[in-house]
Structures are given as structure tokens and as C-alpha cells.
Amino acid sequence: MAVITISRGSYHRGREVAEELAAKLGYECVSREILLEASQEFNIPEIKLVRAIEDAPKILQRFTREREKYVSYIRAALLLRAQKDNMVYHGLFGNFFLQDVPHVLKVRIVGDLEARIAEEVERAGISEAKAREIITRDDEERRKWALHLYGADTWDATFYDLVIHLKSISVNDAVGLILHALEFASFQTTPESQQVVDQLVEAMRLEVSPGWWAGSPQQQ
């Protein structure tokens, strides 16, 4: 029993790693579903939630109260999923949203920039220069967002338990490395670590709509 977060830059093949890992473990593979659940349950347009975590604040711009609320909704939805355990999450900033959960294995997938550019050129049918611009901009936006909200750099390896560079290592080999790491006791759910998740869920309950929280596992 475990929870794994797969962090990555844009076009890093993190989805492939997450899906193959979840299939081997028989776990839920979760990403966009978190945004959809938060959107539906809190009656907030999904696009607003997406912008809350994807559009990095400008220099010296503060988070608005509305934006902070949207981020709390997303974290609440993810914590509820984590409370059920047995989950692989490969959406944005899962390692930060679940940073206080002891048994979460936080993985960072790093891809070769030139390979990422070549894949995007082929996928989108755009020029190499345009692909480079898109990837560089997306990576920087994610980095700015994390720095603004958590004071943490998504490129800092110390925020992850395992960093895998998909250059010489294949997706299948990356999954094998993660499976091996999951054998360590630190990343296995215990009654004590589960209690930490439950306490985090209870704390989030005070920040979000009580009506939505009535559907949480503790209320059923």
C-alpha cells in the first residue's frame, strides 16, 4: 500500500511512467481527474482551477484570495484520494500538495531537452524553434508557480526521493526503479502515517465547503 507522485516538466513522458507503474501495481492512476472532481464538487469552472495552478504569478504579484481558495480545493481533492491509498498521481505539484504525508514516494522525471523538442515537433507539427519556445516557457511557468506558492524550486532534487533521467533509462526501467524503491519501509503505509493523512484531511475540511466534505471517507 502506497502513494506515489510523479513530477515532471512538460513533455517529459511522466504520464507513460505513471500509467505503466499504476498498471503493474493495480493502483489508481490519477491526474486531471483531481481538477474535474474539484470543479464539479465546488461548482467552479475547470478552466479557473487550471489557471490557478498553471498561470504563474507575475513578479511582485500576490496570490488573490480567490486563487488561494482554488488551490485549496485542488489540494483537498488530492488529499481525499490519498486518504484511500494505492494511488499514482502525475498531475501538477503533487509532491508539494502531499509533502506532509510520510509514506508518499516523490519521484521526479527528467527528460533530455532536445529529445523533448523533437517529440513535440513530431506530435504538434510545429517548427523546432516553436517547440523549444513552448517547452521552455511551460517549464519556467511551473517553476515560478512553485517558487511563489511554496518558496520551492521544482528543479531542486532535494524535494524528491527519486530523480530519474529518461535518456539512457527507458520508461520500463524507470518503472522498475520505482517499484524497487517502494519495497523500502519508508514508503509503505502504516497506521501512524495513515493517521497523518486523516489529520491533514480534517484540517482541510475547515478550509472548504462542508457540503462537499460530507462525501469524504470519514463521513461515510
Side-chain angles (χ1 to χ4, degrees):
M1 300 174 67
V3 174
I4 306 97
T5 63
I6 306 291
S7 174
R8 56 176 176 75
S10 56
Y11 315 104
H12 265 27
R13 305 186 72 186
R15 176 184 293 275
E16 293 176 54
V17 173
E19 291 177 347
E20 185 171 329
L21 177 65
K24 287 184 178 294
L25 290 169
Y27 284 8
E28 277 192 300
C29 188
V30 180
S31 180
R32 186 183 179 86
E33 294 87 348
I34 293 298
L35 292 176
L36 292 174
E37 288 175 9
S39 172
Q40 293 168 0
E41 300 297 345
F42 292 110
N43 196 29
I44 302 295
E46 184 186 356
I47 187 61
K48 289 189 176 182
L49 297 176
V50 171
R51 287 173 177 167
I53 61 173
E54 287 192 351
D55 293 347
K58 306 303 179 185
I59 297 175
L60 300 180
Q61 178 184 351
R62 294 179 178 273
F63 255 29
T64 64
R65 178 172 297 181
E66 182 180 54
R67 197 176 199 189
E68 289 178 341
K69 180 175 64 176
Y70 293 163
V71 170
S72 292
Y73 289 168
I74 296 167
R75 183 166 184 255
L78 184 57
L79 276 169
L80 276 182
R81 285 283 189 136
Q83 190 178 37
K84 299 175 184 177
D85 213 40
N86 295 356
M87 175 184 74
V88 178
Y89 176 74
H90 65 95
L92 291 172
F93 312 114
N95 61 306
F96 293 121
F97 288 149
L98 300 180
Q99 62 183 315
D100 298 321
V101 180
H103 57 261
V104 172
L105 173 60
K106 303 174 185 69
V107 180
R108 176 73 175 179
I109 300 296
V110 180
D112 179 71
L113 177 59
E114 297 307 316
R116 294 164 64 200
I117 291 171
E119 289 180 9
E120 181 60 6
V121 167
E122 182 177 352
R123 185 192 70 82
I126 56 180
S127 68
E128 180 180 324
K130 184 63 176 179
R132 186 182 298 274
E133 176 189 343
I134 291 172
I135 291 173
T136 302
R137 183 191 64 228
D138 287 353
D139 283 352
E140 190 59 29
E141 285 291 299
R142 295 181 185 203
R143 189 182 189 191
K144 287 179 181 177
W145 188 97
L147 282 168
H148 192 92
L149 187 60
Y150 288 103
D153 192 338
T154 54
W155 298 355
D156 187 343
T158 61
F159 289 103
Y160 309 97
D161 304 300
L162 184 62
V163 178
I164 302 174
H165 187 190
L166 290 184
K167 184 174 183 180
S168 300
I169 297 176
S170 68
V171 168
N172 188 60
D173 289 341
V175 170
L177 287 172
I178 298 170
L179 289 173
H180 178 66
L182 286 175
E183 296 176 3
F184 299 140
S186 300
F187 305 120
Q188 295 173 15
T189 308
T190 65
E192 293 76 18
S193 65
Q194 183 63 42
Q195 184 176 22
V196 172
V197 182
D198 295 341
Q199 290 170 346
L200 289 169
V201 167
E202 180 61 22
M204 287 302 299
R205 183 185 65 81
L206 302 177
E207 297 184 31
V208 298
S209 169
W212 178 75
W213 215 261
S216 73
Q218 288 189 328
Q219 300 296 322
Q220 293 178 351

